[in-house]
Amino acid sequence: MKLANSIKELHHIIKAVRREGDSIGFVPTMGALHNGHLALVKRSKLENNICVCSIFVNPTQFNNPEDLKKYPRQMEQDIRLLESVNCDIVFIPETEEMYPNGEPEILFHFGELEKVMEGADRPGHFQGVGTIVKKLFDIVEPHRAYFGNKDYQQLLIIKSLTQQYKLSPKIIGCDIVRENDGLAMSSRNQRLSSIQRSEAPHIYSVLKAAKQQQLDVESLKLWVAQKINTNSLMELSYFEISDAETLKSIIKWDKNQRAMGFIVVNMGEIRLIDNIELNI
Ligand code: AMP
């Protein structure tokens, strides 16, 4: 695996290893890698000749400075993990190179998509995501880019970004990778205390049980809220039932509409995010 710490180095490496017609698959990450990230790399390896993975803790997508400060960083282990899945190139840029003028330059318009859920809870978050993903796409010029369904709203935002700016990569959403006990893998999980970690699988258990309930939409929301809040270590930030394409709130079940349940639960200062398809 080749390592690039600057855009110039990255371009140099790509030029050296890429043969004519080779496709590039790209996996952007913020590091502290786990099997969820590695699944994206493996998929990219299957579908492309060259896999580039970036590790960059993007400051502009953090609305909480404390969260940015405490975001786990473990570069050596990340490099070993990427090597273990035969990633070809890892791009680890400096903040100064990604943001030479300090702040983001473009104001993105994602409409309703950025007004709900994570957009409403974390002001500016998707502007930061749009800024960094567009920059990375412009630098890496991938044919395909891989994102996890765990951050489903982010995936839709990136699809919208790609359409609006006519960016070339095909955006590929990949299944959520879970721990054996059902907890969605996340870099933030390692910040859970052992008691929080042992309770955290409750979130996915509730989502799975929600799928089995025969309740109207509003009653199901209340049911989930009640189930989460009975756990004294958890505080529900939101549970939304929304259309899988537009993220508009669903008021009434409709067989022709793909409904998803989106949840964020706070355990102490850790925010855990998950989702489930409801009507399949
Ligand atoms: P992050 O490093 O958290 O910014 O995540 C980088 C990419 O990995 C994003 O596209 C995430 O959606 C994806 N990802 C994170 N956790 C998981 C998971 N448990 N399963 C699948 N994809 C994931």
Side-chain angles (χ1 to χ4, degrees), residues 52-94:
V52 178
C53 176
S54 63
I55 299 177
F56 181 65
V57 183
N58 174 36
T60 64
Q61 72 188 69
F62 285 81
N63 56 316
N64 176 349
E66 207 45 30
D67 192 25
L68 171 62
K69 207 166 92 194
K70 293 192 176 155
Y71 200 83
R73 289 157 171 93
Q74 46 191 52
M75 206 52 90
E76 278 169 27
Q77 182 179 318
D78 287 351
I79 290 172
R80 275 201 302 278
L81 287 172
L82 289 174
E83 258 164 349
S84 76
V85 288
N86 298 320
C87 178
D88 300 287
I89 303 172
V90 56
F91 176 45
I92 309 174
E94 297 291 335

Side-chain angles (χ1 to χ4, degrees), residues 27-31 33-37 39-40 61 71 146-152 154 174-178 184-188:
V27 180
T29 80
M30 297 203 298
L33 302 181
H34 50 65
N35 285 336
H37 299 111
L40 305 183
Q61 72 188 69
Y71 200 83
Y146 296 82
F147 294 88
N149 286 341
K150 182 168 82 81
D151 304 287
Y152 190 85
Q154 168 174 282
C174 301
D175 288 346
I176 300 175
V177 178
R178 299 180 179 282
M185 289 191 181
S186 165
S187 306
R188 289 186 170 90

Side-chain angles (χ1 to χ4, degrees), residues 128-148:
V129 169
T131 303
I132 195 64
V133 171
K134 180 162 186 315
K135 278 175 189 275
L136 288 169
F137 281 1
D138 289 344
I139 293 166
V140 178
E141 299 186 90
H143 297 81
R144 296 182 190 83
Y146 296 82
F147 294 88

Side-chain angles (χ1 to χ4, degrees), residues 98-272:
M98 297 310 284
Y99 292 106
N101 306 317
E103 285 300 300
E105 304 86 29
I106 308 178
L107 182 67
F108 296 98
H109 298 282
F110 297 119
E112 287 301 308
L113 280 184
E114 67 173 329
K115 297 205 175 84
V116 295
M117 301 194 292
E118 292 304 273
D121 255 29
R122 305 175 67 187
H125 172 64
F126 287 123
Q127 290 298 321
V129 169
T131 303
I132 195 64
V133 171
K134 180 162 186 315
K135 278 175 189 275
L136 288 169
F137 281 1
D138 289 344
I139 293 166
V140 178
E141 299 186 90
H143 297 81
R144 296 182 190 83
Y146 296 82
F147 294 88
N149 286 341
K150 182 168 82 81
D151 304 287
Y152 190 85
Q153 188 173 8
Q154 168 174 282
L155 175 69
L156 293 188
I157 290 273
I158 288 161
K159 284 185 173 168
S160 163
L161 173 84
T162 309
Q163 266 179 356
Q164 282 183 50
Y165 287 86
K166 301 193 174 27
L167 307 177
S168 55
K170 185 169 157 47
I171 305 302
I172 296 167
C174 301
D175 288 346
I176 300 175
V177 178
R178 299 180 179 282
E179 302 286 356
N180 289 336
D181 57 19
L183 176 64
M185 289 191 181
S186 165
S187 306
R188 289 186 170 90
N189 291 351
Q190 54 178 280
R191 292 182 54 209
L192 295 170
S193 69
S194 61
I195 172 81
Q196 287 170 331
R197 174 62 190 83
S198 67
E199 294 294 322
H202 181 59
I203 300 169
Y204 186 52
S205 304
V206 171
L207 288 184
K208 276 193 302 186
K211 205 176 153 110
Q212 307 304 326
Q213 303 302 305
Q214 306 286 327
L215 293 170
D216 61 63
V217 173
E218 209 42 48
S219 307
L220 186 58
K221 283 190 188 172
L222 292 173
W223 185 88
V224 167
Q226 193 257 332
K227 288 282 174 202
I228 292 293
N229 288 330
T230 52
N231 188 309
S232 61
L233 299 182
M234 296 188 175
E235 189 205 343
L236 184 68
S237 177
Y238 62 75
F239 175 66
E240 295 288 347
I241 298 178
S242 314
D243 179 277
E245 315 295 324
T246 62
L247 297 188
K248 288 213 169 80
S249 268
I250 288 178
I251 297 160
K252 210 165 170 269
W253 300 116
D254 174 350
K255 275 203 197 70
N256 301 315
Q257 190 175 29
R258 206 150 63 89
M260 289 181 67
F262 296 96
I263 197 164
V264 168
V265 173
N266 293 313
M267 294 193 83
E269 55 180 25
I270 319 296
R271 255 177 131 254
L272 299 177

